Each structure stands twice: as C-alpha cells, then as structure tokens.
C-alpha cells in the first residue's frame, strides 16, 4: 500500500526524508510506503533543497514556493488527492527563545492551514510537529485550541474526526546525536481507528543515556570529506579564537575560568548556548537556525564554529543531502528541520499500525493529552 503525501511548511525535507525512508512489510508480504505528491513553503532555498533531494529535480513543480495563504488548498488540479499529510507548522511564536507570542504572533495562527487541508482532503493520517514550548504558549490555551481543531477539523457538528496522539519526543532517546525535544502530534482518522488501526508512541531505541549517540560519533565516524558539500568553515576574529581556546568542551561564554579580557559584558538573561562548545561524549545541544554571534555551535577541540555539514550530521541528514543557498540560508534550513532519523521512526510506527505489525511502544506524554488538559482548566 502506498500512501500519497501532501505537506505544508516543508522546509528542506527532514520530515519527508523520514517518510521516504519508512518502509514496512506486512506478514502477508504487502509493502507499506509513503510517496510525496505535493508540498509548500515560502522559502525559495528550502523549496529548492526539498525538490532536489526528495523529488530529484530542483525545479520540480510539485513543490509550490509561495506564502501558504496563497496556496489553492482543495484545488485538485494544483494539489492532487492525498492519503496522508505532514506539517511542521512554524515554531517562531512558540519557541522558548523569543517573545513567545503564540496565537497572537505572525506565525502562531499558521497551523490553521493544516486544519484546512484536513477538511479538504480527509487524509487517513497526519503528522504535525512543533517545539516543546507549544504546550505553554498563551498560558496553555493555544495548545488546547490546536488539539481541538486537529481532533475535529469541522467542529463539533462535523463528520470528520481524528484520534490524536500528541507526545514529547526526546530525540536523543531515538538515536539522534542531539538533545532535541519536539512535540509530534499523530492523528488517525476515527473511522479507521474504530476498525483497529491504532497509533502508539514507538518506544525509545536508546533509552539508556550510556547508549546515546555522541557529538563525536556523529561528526567523526566516519570523517567528513574535506570537499564535502555545505562544509565551508567560518572565519573568526582572533579575539574569538582566543576566547574559545579558553573555554573547555561542554562549557560556554560564562565559564568561570574565562580570563576577564574575554568575558562578555552582558546584562540580563544569559543564553547557555552562547559560544558553547560541544561535549564530545554527549549528544549535542539543540541545533538552531538563527541567531547572531556566539550561537553557531562550537567544536569541542578546534576553536571554531561547526560547519553546516557538521550541523547536518547532528540532525542525521546524510552527507549526500544537498542544501541549496548561501551559508546562512543553509544554516537556517538545517536548524529548522526535523531530524530525518527521528521522523522515520514515527512514520515507521504509523505504517506498522496500518500493516498490523507489532512494535514496542510507550504511553504518550500524559500532560499533553487533550482530556488531561481540559480537566486541568
């Protein structure tokens, strides 16, 4: 069985690469896979990256580069029929870093276009992704509103309903060499759930911290070729190089042993990621896609920022995955993406649910379930 997939806010293709890699064989030999049909993003570089790697052609016309509010959702001549849907709706207004405007921000309400896709196409399942801060935006009201609309896209009087399973995935527990914690919401159409197709959160593959994939493992094994794509190094000022030489692995710009002449004169909040060097024996801290000086992630041994290819390794993109754009555009794409390895685990679990294949699972994060949230209002 092949599930035809549509996607909004496609970014460089982390979710789609995970979906593309997912492959499940049922007991009777039937193969369950996911196939890209159409997608959308407003970022031209991300669209070209997605098209090049997911579609095999940088100018593939199935990738629609435009603001989502100008996308003709429901027009089958432009956006054909689909069986499943994915959307990592913009996290800017839900992130713990920033103003946290939630639904009142520019990006917060964009999830509603995903709800519109559910109304128009009634896919068999969907996958939505966002940052952990989503649960606390607008004093928790935003998350409740989003879950309600994903559960019943047409409202209480509509005939379309999904069995929704939100969960906070700690990707380092799933073999990703990075402490990246994201809410992923999986929805199975209720009529199918009533027939026995039930999604369960896949059990962590590396639950023991001693088994976590480390920064060193990801970046050095195997070594990255010197001429690898997207592997340009940043040229630092001598002052920055000297400062980094005084910061041990795992420490940041606020390291107590840093000589006074290298100490930053900053008042107020001090972000822990400023000039933070990786600990080679642990997963990396969260890869981000934006931020000024001091936020580029720093090598544990060499006094420099990571290259985009090294960041891509931490995000589990293969070395032959080509990012299109200048260095900053690529940095943004890498940081905003869903780790493909983590996405594959989720899509594999969904396909196993449809194929009737057993797998190890855990209970979803209790405090994220809609009935629990409503009971605590």
């Amino acid at each position: 069985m092949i599930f035809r997939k549509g996607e909004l806010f496609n970014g460089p293709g982390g979710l789609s690469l995970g979906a593309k890699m997912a492959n499940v064989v049922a007991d009777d030999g039937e193969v369950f896979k996911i196939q890209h049909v159409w997608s959308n993003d407003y970022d031209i570089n991300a669209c070209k990256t997605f098209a090049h790697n997911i579609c095999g052609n940088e100018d593939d016309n199935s990738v629609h580069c435009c603001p989502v509010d100008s996308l003709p959702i429901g027009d089958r001549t432009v956006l054909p029929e689909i069986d499943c849907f994915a959307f990592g709706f913009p996290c800017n207004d839900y992130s713990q870093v920033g103003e946290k405007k939630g639904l009142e921000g520019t990006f917060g309400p964009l999830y509603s276009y995903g709800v519109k896709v559910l109304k128009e196409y009634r896919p068999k399942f969907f996958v939505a992704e966002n940052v952990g801060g989503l649960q606390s935006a607008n004093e928790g009201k935003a998350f409740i509103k989003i879950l309600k609309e994903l559960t019943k896209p047409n409202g209480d009087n509509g005939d379309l309903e999904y069995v929704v399973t939100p969960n906070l995935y700690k990707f380092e527990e799933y073999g990703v060499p990075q402490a990246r914690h994201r809410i992923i919401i999986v929805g199975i159409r209720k009529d199918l759930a009533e027939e026995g197709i039930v999604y369960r959160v896949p059990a962590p593959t590396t639950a023991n911290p001693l088994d976590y994939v480390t920064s060193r493992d990801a970046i050095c094994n195997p070594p990255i070729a010197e001429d690898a794509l997207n592997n340009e190094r940043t040229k630092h000022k001598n002052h920055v190089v000297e400062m980094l030489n005084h910061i041990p692995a795992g420490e940041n710009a606020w390291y107590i042993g840093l000589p006074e002449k290298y100490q930053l004169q900053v008042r107020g909040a001090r972000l822990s990621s400023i000039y933070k060097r990786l600990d080679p024996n642990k997963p990396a801290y969260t890869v981000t896609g934006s931020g000024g000086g001091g936020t580029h992630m720093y090598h544990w041994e060499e006094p420099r920022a990571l290259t985009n290819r090294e960041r891509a390794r931490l995000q589990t993109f293969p070395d032959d995955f080509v990012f299109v754009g200048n260095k900053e555009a690529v940095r943004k794409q890498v940081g905003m993406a869903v780790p493909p390895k983590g996405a594959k685990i989720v899509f594999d679990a969904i396909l196993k649910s449809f194929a009737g294949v057993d797998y190890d699972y855990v209970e979803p994060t209790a405090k994220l379930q809609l009935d629990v949230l409503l009971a605590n209002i």
Side-chain angles (χ1 to χ4, degrees), residues 166-186:
N167 187 65
L168 182 67
Y169 291 80
K170 297 180 178 180
F171 282 121
E172 66 270 32
E173 296 181 350
Y174 291 88
V176 175
Q178 179 190 170
R180 193 178 190 90
H181 301 170
R182 293 293 184 266
I183 291 174
I184 294 181
I185 306 166
V186 174

PDB file of all heavy atoms in Angstrom, residues 166-186:
ATOM      1  N   PRO A 166      -0.679  13.273  20.861  1.00  0.00           N
ATOM      2  CA  PRO A 166       0.485  14.154  20.996  1.00  0.00           C
ATOM      3  C   PRO A 166       1.511  13.535  21.941  1.00  0.00           C
ATOM      4  O   PRO A 166       1.147  12.848  22.896  1.00  0.00           O
ATOM      5  CB  PRO A 166      -0.109  15.433  21.594  1.00  0.00           C
ATOM      6  CG  PRO A 166      -1.428  15.051  22.175  1.00  0.00           C
ATOM      7  CD  PRO A 166      -1.797  13.683  21.696  1.00  0.00           C
ATOM      8  N   ASN A 167       2.778  13.772  21.658  1.00  0.00           N
ATOM      9  CA  ASN A 167       3.825  13.241  22.526  1.00  0.00           C
ATOM     10  C   ASN A 167       5.061  14.120  22.421  1.00  0.00           C
ATOM     11  O   ASN A 167       5.362  14.659  21.357  1.00  0.00           O
ATOM     12  CB  ASN A 167       4.190  11.808  22.123  1.00  0.00           C
ATOM     13  CG  ASN A 167       5.149  11.158  23.101  1.00  0.00           C
ATOM     14  OD1 ASN A 167       4.808  10.932  24.262  1.00  0.00           O
ATOM     15  ND2 ASN A 167       6.362  10.856  22.654  1.00  0.00           N
ATOM     16  N   LEU A 168       5.772  14.269  23.528  1.00  0.00           N
ATOM     17  CA  LEU A 168       7.045  14.984  23.522  1.00  0.00           C
ATOM     18  C   LEU A 168       8.151  13.967  23.268  1.00  0.00           C
ATOM     19  O   LEU A 168       8.426  13.120  24.116  1.00  0.00           O
ATOM     20  CB  LEU A 168       7.277  15.704  24.856  1.00  0.00           C
ATOM     21  CG  LEU A 168       8.569  16.522  24.924  1.00  0.00           C
ATOM     22  CD1 LEU A 168       8.505  17.712  23.973  1.00  0.00           C
ATOM     23  CD2 LEU A 168       8.830  17.005  26.356  1.00  0.00           C
ATOM     24  N   TYR A 169       8.736  14.052  22.097  1.00  0.00           N
ATOM     25  CA  TYR A 169       9.806  13.137  21.712  1.00  0.00           C
ATOM     26  C   TYR A 169      11.151  13.746  22.071  1.00  0.00           C
ATOM     27  O   TYR A 169      11.462  14.868  21.659  1.00  0.00           O
ATOM     28  CB  TYR A 169       9.759  12.845  20.210  1.00  0.00           C
ATOM     29  CG  TYR A 169       8.565  12.027  19.794  1.00  0.00           C
ATOM     30  CD1 TYR A 169       7.322  12.634  19.625  1.00  0.00           C
ATOM     31  CD2 TYR A 169       8.662  10.660  19.582  1.00  0.00           C
ATOM     32  CE1 TYR A 169       6.209  11.894  19.252  1.00  0.00           C
ATOM     33  CE2 TYR A 169       7.554   9.909  19.205  1.00  0.00           C
ATOM     34  CZ  TYR A 169       6.327  10.525  19.049  1.00  0.00           C
ATOM     35  OH  TYR A 169       5.232   9.793  18.690  1.00  0.00           O
ATOM     36  N   LYS A 170      11.940  13.024  22.833  1.00  0.00           N
ATOM     37  CA  LYS A 170      13.310  13.424  23.137  1.00  0.00           C
ATOM     38  C   LYS A 170      14.193  12.649  22.171  1.00  0.00           C
ATOM     39  O   LYS A 170      14.476  11.466  22.362  1.00  0.00           O
ATOM     40  CB  LYS A 170      13.639  13.100  24.597  1.00  0.00           C
ATOM     41  CG  LYS A 170      12.760  13.880  25.580  1.00  0.00           C
ATOM     42  CD  LYS A 170      13.100  13.558  27.033  1.00  0.00           C
ATOM     43  CE  LYS A 170      12.233  14.378  27.974  1.00  0.00           C
ATOM     44  NZ  LYS A 170      12.534  14.101  29.410  1.00  0.00           N
ATOM     45  N   PHE A 171      14.621  13.331  21.125  1.00  0.00           N
ATOM     46  CA  PHE A 171      15.237  12.629  20.001  1.00  0.00           C
ATOM     47  C   PHE A 171      16.535  11.924  20.356  1.00  0.00           C
ATOM     48  O   PHE A 171      16.923  10.969  19.670  1.00  0.00           O
ATOM     49  CB  PHE A 171      15.442  13.586  18.827  1.00  0.00           C
ATOM     50  CG  PHE A 171      14.178  13.845  18.043  1.00  0.00           C
ATOM     51  CD1 PHE A 171      13.676  15.126  17.911  1.00  0.00           C
ATOM     52  CD2 PHE A 171      13.493  12.800  17.450  1.00  0.00           C
ATOM     53  CE1 PHE A 171      12.514  15.370  17.191  1.00  0.00           C
ATOM     54  CE2 PHE A 171      12.328  13.021  16.732  1.00  0.00           C
ATOM     55  CZ  PHE A 171      11.835  14.316  16.599  1.00  0.00           C
ATOM     56  N   GLU A 172      17.224  12.367  21.400  1.00  0.00           N
ATOM     57  CA  GLU A 172      18.444  11.645  21.783  1.00  0.00           C
ATOM     58  C   GLU A 172      18.112  10.214  22.220  1.00  0.00           C
ATOM     59  O   GLU A 172      18.982   9.335  22.203  1.00  0.00           O
ATOM     60  CB  GLU A 172      19.202  12.388  22.894  1.00  0.00           C
ATOM     61  CG  GLU A 172      18.482  12.466  24.226  1.00  0.00           C
ATOM     62  CD  GLU A 172      17.605  13.694  24.382  1.00  0.00           C
ATOM     63  OE1 GLU A 172      17.052  14.160  23.367  1.00  0.00           O
ATOM     64  OE2 GLU A 172      17.467  14.186  25.519  1.00  0.00           O
ATOM     65  N   GLU A 173      16.844   9.976  22.616  1.00  0.00           N
ATOM     66  CA  GLU A 173      16.420   8.632  23.007  1.00  0.00           C
ATOM     67  C   GLU A 173      16.098   7.752  21.797  1.00  0.00           C
ATOM     68  O   GLU A 173      15.769   6.579  21.943  1.00  0.00           O
ATOM     69  CB  GLU A 173      15.198   8.711  23.921  1.00  0.00           C
ATOM     70  CG  GLU A 173      15.474   9.415  25.255  1.00  0.00           C
ATOM     71  CD  GLU A 173      14.256   9.462  26.149  1.00  0.00           C
ATOM     72  OE1 GLU A 173      13.152   9.128  25.676  1.00  0.00           O
ATOM     73  OE2 GLU A 173      14.404   9.829  27.332  1.00  0.00           O
ATOM     74  N   TYR A 174      16.180   8.356  20.609  1.00  0.00           N
ATOM     75  CA  TYR A 174      15.868   7.620  19.382  1.00  0.00           C
ATOM     76  C   TYR A 174      17.066   7.581  18.421  1.00  0.00           C
ATOM     77  O   TYR A 174      16.898   7.479  17.208  1.00  0.00           O
ATOM     78  CB  TYR A 174      14.652   8.241  18.699  1.00  0.00           C
ATOM     79  CG  TYR A 174      13.371   8.038  19.476  1.00  0.00           C
ATOM     80  CD1 TYR A 174      12.982   8.951  20.452  1.00  0.00           C
ATOM     81  CD2 TYR A 174      12.566   6.923  19.267  1.00  0.00           C
ATOM     82  CE1 TYR A 174      11.813   8.775  21.190  1.00  0.00           C
ATOM     83  CE2 TYR A 174      11.398   6.732  19.992  1.00  0.00           C
ATOM     84  CZ  TYR A 174      11.031   7.660  20.951  1.00  0.00           C
ATOM     85  OH  TYR A 174       9.869   7.464  21.682  1.00  0.00           O
ATOM     86  N   GLY A 175      18.264   7.685  18.978  1.00  0.00           N
ATOM     87  CA  GLY A 175      19.458   7.546  18.160  1.00  0.00           C
ATOM     88  C   GLY A 175      19.912   8.798  17.456  1.00  0.00           C
ATOM     89  O   GLY A 175      20.841   8.747  16.634  1.00  0.00           O
ATOM     90  N   VAL A 176      19.296   9.939  17.765  1.00  0.00           N
ATOM     91  CA  VAL A 176      19.716  11.213  17.173  1.00  0.00           C
ATOM     92  C   VAL A 176      20.783  11.829  18.083  1.00  0.00           C
ATOM     93  O   VAL A 176      20.570  11.925  19.296  1.00  0.00           O
ATOM     94  CB  VAL A 176      18.510  12.168  17.017  1.00  0.00           C
ATOM     95  CG1 VAL A 176      18.964  13.539  16.516  1.00  0.00           C
ATOM     96  CG2 VAL A 176      17.475  11.567  16.068  1.00  0.00           C
ATOM     97  N   PRO A 177      21.919  12.244  17.544  1.00  0.00           N
ATOM     98  CA  PRO A 177      23.007  12.749  18.392  1.00  0.00           C
ATOM     99  C   PRO A 177      22.798  14.198  18.829  1.00  0.00           C
ATOM    100  O   PRO A 177      23.672  15.048  18.694  1.00  0.00           O
ATOM    101  CB  PRO A 177      24.227  12.630  17.471  1.00  0.00           C
ATOM    102  CG  PRO A 177      23.668  12.816  16.111  1.00  0.00           C
ATOM    103  CD  PRO A 177      22.312  12.164  16.125  1.00  0.00           C
ATOM    104  N   GLN A 178      21.644  14.462  19.394  1.00  0.00           N
ATOM    105  CA  GLN A 178      21.272  15.832  19.729  1.00  0.00           C
ATOM    106  C   GLN A 178      20.122  15.831  20.735  1.00  0.00           C
ATOM    107  O   GLN A 178      19.162  15.069  20.584  1.00  0.00           O
ATOM    108  CB  GLN A 178      20.839  16.554  18.438  1.00  0.00           C
ATOM    109  CG  GLN A 178      20.408  17.971  18.605  1.00  0.00           C
ATOM    110  CD  GLN A 178      19.770  18.503  17.328  1.00  0.00           C
ATOM    111  OE1 GLN A 178      19.200  19.584  17.323  1.00  0.00           O
ATOM    112  NE2 GLN A 178      19.826  17.770  16.239  1.00  0.00           N
ATOM    113  N   ALA A 179      20.225  16.684  21.742  1.00  0.00           N
ATOM    114  CA  ALA A 179      19.132  16.834  22.707  1.00  0.00           C
ATOM    115  C   ALA A 179      18.092  17.773  22.113  1.00  0.00           C
ATOM    116  O   ALA A 179      18.078  18.970  22.384  1.00  0.00           O
ATOM    117  CB  ALA A 179      19.665  17.387  24.026  1.00  0.00           C
ATOM    118  N   ARG A 180      17.260  17.219  21.272  1.00  0.00           N
ATOM    119  CA  ARG A 180      16.231  17.993  20.567  1.00  0.00           C
ATOM    120  C   ARG A 180      14.877  17.455  20.991  1.00  0.00           C
ATOM    121  O   ARG A 180      14.540  16.308  20.693  1.00  0.00           O
ATOM    122  CB  ARG A 180      16.420  17.864  19.058  1.00  0.00           C
ATOM    123  CG  ARG A 180      15.622  18.866  18.235  1.00  0.00           C
ATOM    124  CD  ARG A 180      15.923  18.696  16.755  1.00  0.00           C
ATOM    125  NE  ARG A 180      15.363  19.763  15.949  1.00  0.00           N
ATOM    126  CZ  ARG A 180      15.979  20.895  15.652  1.00  0.00           C
ATOM    127  NH1 ARG A 180      17.200  21.108  16.107  1.00  0.00           N
ATOM    128  NH2 ARG A 180      15.397  21.816  14.902  1.00  0.00           N
ATOM    129  N   HIS A 181      14.088  18.277  21.680  1.00  0.00           N
ATOM    130  CA  HIS A 181      12.806  17.829  22.217  1.00  0.00           C
ATOM    131  C   HIS A 181      11.675  18.526  21.469  1.00  0.00           C
ATOM    132  O   HIS A 181      11.579  19.754  21.470  1.00  0.00           O
ATOM    133  CB  HIS A 181      12.722  18.133  23.715  1.00  0.00           C
ATOM    134  CG  HIS A 181      13.814  17.474  24.506  1.00  0.00           C
ATOM    135  ND1 HIS A 181      14.064  17.759  25.831  1.00  0.00           N
ATOM    136  CD2 HIS A 181      14.735  16.523  24.154  1.00  0.00           C
ATOM    137  CE1 HIS A 181      15.076  17.020  26.261  1.00  0.00           C
ATOM    138  NE2 HIS A 181      15.504  16.266  25.257  1.00  0.00           N
ATOM    139  N   ARG A 182      10.827  17.738  20.829  1.00  0.00           N
ATOM    140  CA  ARG A 182       9.777  18.288  19.989  1.00  0.00           C
ATOM    141  C   ARG A 182       8.445  17.571  20.231  1.00  0.00           C
ATOM    142  O   ARG A 182       8.410  16.359  20.470  1.00  0.00           O
ATOM    143  CB  ARG A 182      10.151  18.156  18.506  1.00  0.00           C
ATOM    144  CG  ARG A 182      11.340  19.009  18.077  1.00  0.00           C
ATOM    145  CD  ARG A 182      11.004  20.492  18.150  1.00  0.00           C
ATOM    146  NE  ARG A 182      12.064  21.355  17.654  1.00  0.00           N
ATOM    147  CZ  ARG A 182      12.998  21.900  18.409  1.00  0.00           C
ATOM    148  NH1 ARG A 182      13.041  21.633  19.712  1.00  0.00           N
ATOM    149  NH2 ARG A 182      13.906  22.717  17.890  1.00  0.00           N
ATOM    150  N   ILE A 183       7.375  18.332  20.139  1.00  0.00           N
ATOM    151  CA  ILE A 183       6.040  17.743  20.199  1.00  0.00           C
ATOM    152  C   ILE A 183       5.670  17.276  18.795  1.00  0.00           C
ATOM    153  O   ILE A 183       5.730  18.050  17.841  1.00  0.00           O
ATOM    154  CB  ILE A 183       5.003  18.758  20.708  1.00  0.00           C
ATOM    155  CG1 ILE A 183       5.241  19.062  22.198  1.00  0.00           C
ATOM    156  CG2 ILE A 183       3.589  18.220  20.513  1.00  0.00           C
ATOM    157  CD1 ILE A 183       4.345  20.160  22.754  1.00  0.00           C
ATOM    158  N   ILE A 184       5.312  16.020  18.681  1.00  0.00           N
ATOM    159  CA  ILE A 184       4.798  15.483  17.424  1.00  0.00           C
ATOM    160  C   ILE A 184       3.392  14.948  17.696  1.00  0.00           C
ATOM    161  O   ILE A 184       3.167  14.198  18.648  1.00  0.00           O
ATOM    162  CB  ILE A 184       5.702  14.378  16.856  1.00  0.00           C
ATOM    163  CG1 ILE A 184       7.055  14.977  16.443  1.00  0.00           C
ATOM    164  CG2 ILE A 184       5.042  13.700  15.657  1.00  0.00           C
ATOM    165  CD1 ILE A 184       8.022  13.986  15.857  1.00  0.00           C
ATOM    166  N   ILE A 185       2.471  15.397  16.874  1.00  0.00           N
ATOM    167  CA  ILE A 185       1.065  15.005  17.009  1.00  0.00           C
ATOM    168  C   ILE A 185       0.715  14.103  15.838  1.00  0.00           C
ATOM    169  O   ILE A 185       0.834  14.503  14.675  1.00  0.00           O
ATOM    170  CB  ILE A 185       0.148  16.247  16.998  1.00  0.00           C
ATOM    171  CG1 ILE A 185       0.584  17.261  18.073  1.00  0.00           C
ATOM    172  CG2 ILE A 185      -1.305  15.839  17.203  1.00  0.00           C
ATOM    173  CD1 ILE A 185      -0.056  18.637  17.904  1.00  0.00           C
ATOM    174  N   VAL A 186       0.306  12.881  16.130  1.00  0.00           N
ATOM    175  CA  VAL A 186      -0.118  11.940  15.093  1.00  0.00           C
ATOM    176  C   VAL A 186      -1.629  11.775  15.185  1.00  0.00           C
ATOM    177  O   VAL A 186      -2.175  11.565  16.272  1.00  0.00           O
ATOM    178  CB  VAL A 186       0.569  10.570  15.256  1.00  0.00           C
ATOM    179  CG1 VAL A 186      -0.001   9.556  14.256  1.00  0.00           C
ATOM    180  CG2 VAL A 186       2.078  10.713  15.069  1.00  0.00           C
TER     181      VAL A 186
END
